[in-house]
Amino acid sequence: MITINVHEAKTHLSHYLDEVEKGERIVVCKRNRPVAEIRPIPSRAAEKRPIGLAKETFTVPDSFFDELPDETIALFSGETP
């Protein structure tokens, strides 16, 4: 873990971000008191999510496909019913 002060962080931010990319954690201090930590963000999973994870956990009712009432459609277009 690297410990630096605010001035050092501002002056050499690019350098320290390169270190973070390599896995290093950096503690930023203000007047010798730690105030922040810069650390790498965990990488996302390399695998794609499989399709159908929620299969058979809910059903869509047939009424879902019914036409909306005129008053609801009017609300979407900014009209008053």
Side-chain angles (χ1 to χ4, degrees), residues 23-61:
E24 191 70 53
R25 291 176 26 196
I26 299 174
V27 174
V28 181
C29 298
K30 185 175 185 179
R31 296 184 181 172
N32 296 325
R33 296 185 69 205
V35 293
E37 179 181 27
I38 305 173
R39 56 188 168 95
I41 296 175
S43 61
R44 293 183 179 226
E47 298 178 15
K48 291 186 177 183
R49 289 183 56 201
I51 296 175
L53 288 176
K55 187 176 182 180
E56 299 179 7
T57 59
F58 67 93
T59 57
V60 177

Side-chain angles (χ1 to χ4, degrees), residues 3-13 16 26-36 38:
T3 304
I4 58 175
N5 62 36
V6 175
H7 177 71
E8 183 75 13
K10 290 192 304 184
T11 305
H12 302 287
L13 182 61
Y16 289 115
I26 299 174
V27 174
V28 181
C29 298
K30 185 175 185 179
R31 296 184 181 172
N32 296 325
R33 296 185 69 205
V35 293
I38 305 173

